[in-house]
């Protein structure tokens, strides 16, 4: 797994590439949700606020929001999820990414957890 | 008797040119269709309906029916659904042409019997609920909720309190409650349950205020428990200027024993397809009449039936919200509920509730050693177990539900209410013989043993049904919602 | 009681296991102040024989349409119903089943709904149908709300030729969510909405326009202008259709509809004083399909690869998404949908077309006969299907009562909807030439 990943308490991961932030959900989260059957993606160009719902993941009998870890503009969505939502289950950190957000200036992810911190956090869940 | 794994679709039985039903020959002069309707409006080919004989249709649906569980087939302990026996005489009396073959727009003078039935049923439901005025228009419980909320909203608006748009709902509520709120533009405010499973009164006090439209409550609640604090709850909501809505899904516990009106409720809906034994029909039709207090009566949907001397007529209440469906609701459904009330009488209805509650407590008592009982207190007509003990063996509540099918039982309601982990909600109803309750208890105990000894037997269940466990994820990922000609 | 099997011995045994003396004690959680200590004020219990007699008396006070010949329609129709329907629909396995939440033991209901959905798609020309709604009127209201949600707009354009009761239902549902309504007047000469009426509407704000086809007067609207203008501005075309008319008329799908609803009473269901019936609801395109209200059945396979059916796309529904659900609907009209499916199956391609064809022919025959009568005129010029409006300066309510004495119910006087002198006749394939000729003679005598 990519050492650069940072995690939120809502079980999203983010990967910073300059002022672009890629967002997905953690392996723990996909496992809790079960078989993902549909991903409701935002539109490219949408302006989002930190903490706002940006995508919806649906399993057979549950619905879960994905929240924006930062404010910015949606610049990419993972269109492969429209046909193959199961990618979120099969490859949560790679092929199952969800959106990319462009932030103004430098992305602030200092208050997010790194891999070890997140694992410790999961033990307390 | 063996059963095929699949039954072909009716379309797959079709052969070009084969016919089922035939009309009499046309007895008026035939005019070319294009002379009556401009060609531009007409389709070139009739819809591609199946072309099958009458025998094929009968056989097809008979085969399908044999792949279906119903109350007539076996025990159906589905919590919150009240799957009691549906008396057959109700099917007979509601198919009389004098009820089944009357048109909603016939002159009132020619449908006095229908109006009398509607009027009296409205009165009976008012008596049972302890409230004043009834509309029979809503077609189902959720439709009744919507109607009741529209009435509450109209009441507040009339009093220039249109800002009251917050509806308080317990965390254990049916999903229809918040969904109905959304349909009238109400904001849902959730009140937590206390440790005894009732509304957390202190939390409620903190939630009410000048924007409170009301509180929706099921009592007994979805845990099958009667909320002992109901009078205090009603006072808190009324003092804040809100109204109380009673979700009647669980009314089978209280007929002739306690009345929502006396508890302080202002609006009640009944699920006639639960409490009053109209058949569920595989998902409907139901009927969800609402009964309201005198103050709310002018806001009911119209028309309602009024009695003048010995005549009955339709009238529209003074401040009626309008209509929630066309005509007068599911008439032939609520006519069955009328029959149910008439054949039980006051004493019979009370016995129904007493027996339903006795049955539930008996089963709860005998099952609580093998399944976790999160709220160990006297229940009403249903109770909620938890599959957490079995989860330790890798067996989920869903697996227990599927395994019950192998023993010929329908599963209880599972994973609801959401306040209980791995919930198993059992409602035996009053019409089951004790021997059936005992068989079910024995099977539940055996399944608990299987969970320990052979978990895989459960996680791969069912084994004896026409189809094995179905892939719901596949159905949702790539929806196939209709048959396509290959 | 007849339906309570518990014996005294069994009751005693249960009480003993519970450690209580009386059933009473199980209700101790109910505060004394609200315990009902008197009997409910209801009439005493009837035995089965008494109940049957009582119902015979009630039913006997109604004039039923097996004994009188009716020309009433306006949403409830007297079509022929094949005898096998009641035998199939009355089977306990269908009648006494709940919603098919456990698919492995409810394949019968699930497959029948899947077939129903396919049949509705065939009629409407749409891609997907739900498992049914309460009735046509509430289905239309939900369609309008769905259009608002899909377009994020809060304005709905309604024709004044919509059934007044349906309009009332739609208005109430929309007002409850603060959605505005704009009315399209109809042309007094043709009885349909003219293209000119579509001008001056704030189309960029409109979520949808509704077309009822045939309209309340039985007349055929020109759908294309509605479609063109609403779609040009990004709104949706919602059609409310009479399913029997789809045996002959172009499908809404072909006409470009986005959402199609209607009432399925005429598909084998009893009139039953207006209910139960069913609303059907169909749409196209994956985005709109995921916004559909109500239950939907989909095909899948079991763990051994065998074809089977399940409730699907459930995350739209109230039991999962609660206040964010696409609707609050839970129970629908499954048994009526089953009735419609059996009806369409046994009628089949040719039989169903015949129903529409004969209704059309007979309606036009009756209209022609009536128009030959002094004092009766046709107020509207647009083509009609199986219902038509006539006009005469007479008291139609009074005429109907007098016709009733002769074994007939005439058309529906539209005075109740604010249209004096107008009367709406409906003719189905169930009417015979003999009945119609007799009716015309009687009416001639009464109007003269």
């Amino acid at each position: 797994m990519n050492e650069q990943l940072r995690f939120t308490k809502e079980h999203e991961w983010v990967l910073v590439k300059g002022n672009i932030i890629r967002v997905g959900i953690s392996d723990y989260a996909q496992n809790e949700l079960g078989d993902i059957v549909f991903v409701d993606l935002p539109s490219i160009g949408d302006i989002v606020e930190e903490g706002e719902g940006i995508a919806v993941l649906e399993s057979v009998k549950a619905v879960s929001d994905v929240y924006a870890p930062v404010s910015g503009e949606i610049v990419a969505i993972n269109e492969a999820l429209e046909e193959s939502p199961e990618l979120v289950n099969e490859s949560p950190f790679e092929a199952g990414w969800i959106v990319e957000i462009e932030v103004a200036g430098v992305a602030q992810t200092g208050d997010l957890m790194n891999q070890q911190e997140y694992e410790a956090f999961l033990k307390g869940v | 008797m063996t059963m095929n794994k699949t039954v072909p679709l009716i379309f797959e039985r079709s052969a070009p040119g084969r016919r089922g039903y035939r009309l009499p020959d046309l007895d008026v002069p035939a005019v070319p269709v294009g002379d009556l309707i401009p060609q531009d409006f007409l389709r070139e080919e009739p819809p591609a309906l199946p072309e099958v004989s009458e025998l094929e249709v009968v056989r097809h649906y008979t085969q399908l029916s044999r792949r279906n569980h119903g109350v007539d087939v076996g025990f159906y302990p589905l919590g919150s659904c009240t799957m009691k026996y549906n008396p057959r005489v109700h099917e007979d009396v509601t198919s009389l042409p004098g009820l089944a073959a009357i048109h909603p727009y016939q002159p009132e003078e020619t449908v006095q019997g229908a109006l009398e039935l509607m009027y009296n049923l409205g009165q009976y439901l008012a008596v049972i609920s302890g409230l004043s005025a009834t509309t029979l228009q809503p077609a189902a419980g959720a439709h009744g909720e919507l109607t009741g909320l529209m009435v509450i909203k109209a009441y507040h608006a009339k009093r220039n309190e249109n800002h009251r748009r917050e509806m308080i709902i317990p965390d254990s509520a049916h999903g229809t409650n918040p969904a109905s709120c959304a349909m009238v533009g109400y904001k849902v405010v959730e009140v937590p349950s206390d440790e005894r499973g009732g509304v957390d009164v202190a939390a409620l006090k903190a939630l009410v205020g000048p924007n409170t439209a009301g509180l929706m409550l099921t009592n007994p609640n979805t845990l099958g428990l009667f909320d002992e604090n109901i009078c205090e709850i009603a006072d808190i909501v009324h003092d804040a200027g809100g109204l109380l809505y009673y979700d009647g899904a669980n009314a089978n516990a209280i007929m002739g024993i306690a009345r929502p009106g006396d508890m302080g409720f202002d609006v009640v809906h009944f699920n006639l397809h639960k409490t009053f034994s109209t058949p569920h029909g595989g998902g409907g039709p139901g009927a969800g009449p609402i009964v309201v207090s005198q103050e709310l009566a002018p806001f009911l949907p119209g028309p309602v039936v009024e009695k003048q001397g010995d005549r009955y007529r339709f009238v529209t209440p003074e401040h009626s919200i309008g209509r929630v469906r066309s005509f007068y609701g599911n008439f032939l459904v609520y006519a069955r509920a009328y029959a149910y009330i008439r054949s039980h009488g006051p004493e019979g209805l009370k016995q129904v509730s007493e027996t339903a509650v006795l049955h539930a407590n008996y089963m709860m008592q005998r099952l609580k050693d093998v399944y976790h009982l999160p709220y160990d207190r006297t229940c009403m007509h249903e109770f909620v177990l938890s599959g957490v003990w079995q989860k330790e063996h890798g067996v989920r509540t869903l697996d227990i539900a599927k395994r019950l099918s192998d023993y010929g039982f329908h599963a209880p309601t599972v994973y609801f209410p959401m306040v209980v982990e791995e919930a198993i909600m059992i409602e035996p109803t009053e019409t089951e013989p004790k021997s059936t309750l005992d068989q079910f208890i024995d099977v539940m105990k055996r399944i608990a043993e299987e969970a320990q000894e052979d978990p895989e037997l459960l996680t791969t269940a069912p084994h004896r049904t026409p189809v094995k466990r179905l892939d719901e994820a596949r159905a949702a990922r790539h929806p196939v919602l209709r048959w396509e000609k290959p | 009681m007849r339906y309570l099997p518990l014996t005294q011995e069994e009751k005693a045994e249960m009480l003993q296991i519970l450690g209580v003396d009386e059933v009473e004690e199980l209700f101790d959680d109910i505060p004394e102040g609200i315990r009902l200590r008197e009997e409910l004020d209801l009439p005493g219990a009837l035995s089965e024989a008494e109940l049957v007699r009582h119902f015979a008396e009630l039913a006997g006070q109604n004039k039923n349409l097996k004994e009188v010949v009716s020309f009433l329609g306006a949403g409830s129709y007297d079509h022929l119903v094949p005898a096998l329907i009641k035998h199939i629909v009355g089977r306990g396995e269908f009648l006494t089943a709940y919603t098919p939440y456990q698919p492995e033991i409810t394949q019968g209901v699930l497959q029948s709904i899947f077939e129903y959905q396919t049949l509705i798609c065939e009629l409407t020309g749409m891609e997907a149908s739900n498992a049914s709604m309460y009735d046509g009127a509430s289905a239309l209201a939900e369609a309008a709300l769905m259009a608002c949600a899909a377009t994020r707009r809060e304005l709905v354009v309604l024709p004044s030729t919509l059934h007044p009761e349906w309009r009332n239902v739609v208005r109430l549902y929309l007002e409850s969510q603060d959605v505005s309504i704009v009315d399209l007047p109809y042309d007094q000469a043709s009885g349909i909405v003219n293209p000119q009426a579509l001008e001056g509407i704030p189309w960029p704000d409109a979520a949808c326009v509704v077309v009822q086809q045939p309209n309340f007067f039985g007349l055929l609207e020109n759908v294309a202008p509605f479609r063109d203008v609403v779609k040009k501005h990004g709104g949706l075309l919602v059609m409310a259709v009479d399913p029997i008319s789809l045996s002959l008329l172009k499908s809404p799908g072909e006409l470009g509809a986005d959402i199609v609803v209607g009432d399925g009473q005429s598909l084998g269901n009893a009139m039953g004083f207006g209910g139960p019936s069913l609303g059907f609801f169909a749409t196209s395109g994956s985005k709109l399909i995921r916004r559909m209200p109500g239950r939907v059945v989909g095909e899948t396979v079991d763990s051994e690869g065998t074809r089977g059916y399940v409730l699907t796309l459930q995350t739209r529904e109230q039991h999962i998404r609660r206040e964010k659900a696409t609707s609050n609907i839970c129970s629908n009209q499954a048994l009526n949908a089953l009735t419609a499916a059996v009806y369409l199956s046994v009628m089949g391609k040719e039989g169903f077309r015949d129903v529409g064809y004969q209704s059309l022919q007979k309606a036009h025959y009756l209209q022609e006969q009536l128009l030959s009568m002094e004092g009766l005129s046709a107020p509207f010029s647009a083509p009609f299907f199986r219902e038509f409006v006539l006009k005469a300066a007479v008291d139609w309510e009074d005429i109907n009562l007098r016709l009733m004495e002769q074994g007939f119910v005439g058309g529906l006087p539209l005075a109740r909807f604010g249209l004096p002198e107008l009367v709406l006749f409906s003719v189905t394939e169930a009417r015979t030439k003999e009945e119609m000729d007799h009716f015309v003679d009687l009416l001639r005598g009464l109007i003269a």
Side-chain angles (χ1 to χ4, degrees), chain B residues 7-11 13 55-65, chain C residues 94 111-112 115 345:
Chain B
V7 172
L9 291 161
I10 190 79
F11 308 97
R13 300 174 188 263
L55 172 60
E56 285 172 299
V57 174
V58 171
R59 238 175 229 164
H60 177 71
Y61 285 103
T62 303
Q63 285 172 8
L64 287 185
S65 75
Chain C
F94 290 130
Q111 183 172 331
S112 76
E115 292 174 351
S345 297

Side-chain angles (χ1 to χ4, degrees), chain C residues 143-157 174 177-181 201-209 226-237 258 291:
Chain C
L145 288 175
M146 176 175 141
C148 292
T151 58
R152 298 187 185 179
R153 296 179 183 178
E154 292 181 338
L155 179 77
V156 167
V157 183
L174 293 182
Q177 295 196 28
D178 300 320
V179 175
S180 312
I181 296 173
I201 303 290
W203 290 108
D205 299 331
C208 67
V209 63
F226 288 86
R227 174 195 61 211
D228 294 345
V229 69
V230 75
K231 296 225 168 176
K232 186 175 151 199
H233 295 96
L236 304 183
L237 174 64
D258 298 292
R291 287 193 184 274

Side-chain angles (χ1 to χ4, degrees), chain B residues 382 390 408 463:
Chain B
E382 65 187 5
Q390 285 67 36
H463 305 280

Side-chain angles (χ1 to χ4, degrees), chain C residues 374-379 390-396 399 420-423 447:
Chain C
E374 193 75 18
L376 275 181
S377 63
L390 294 184
K391 183 174 183 176
V394 295
D395 182 349
W396 286 109
I399 284 179
E421 300 189 2
L422 299 189
V423 63
I447 283 188

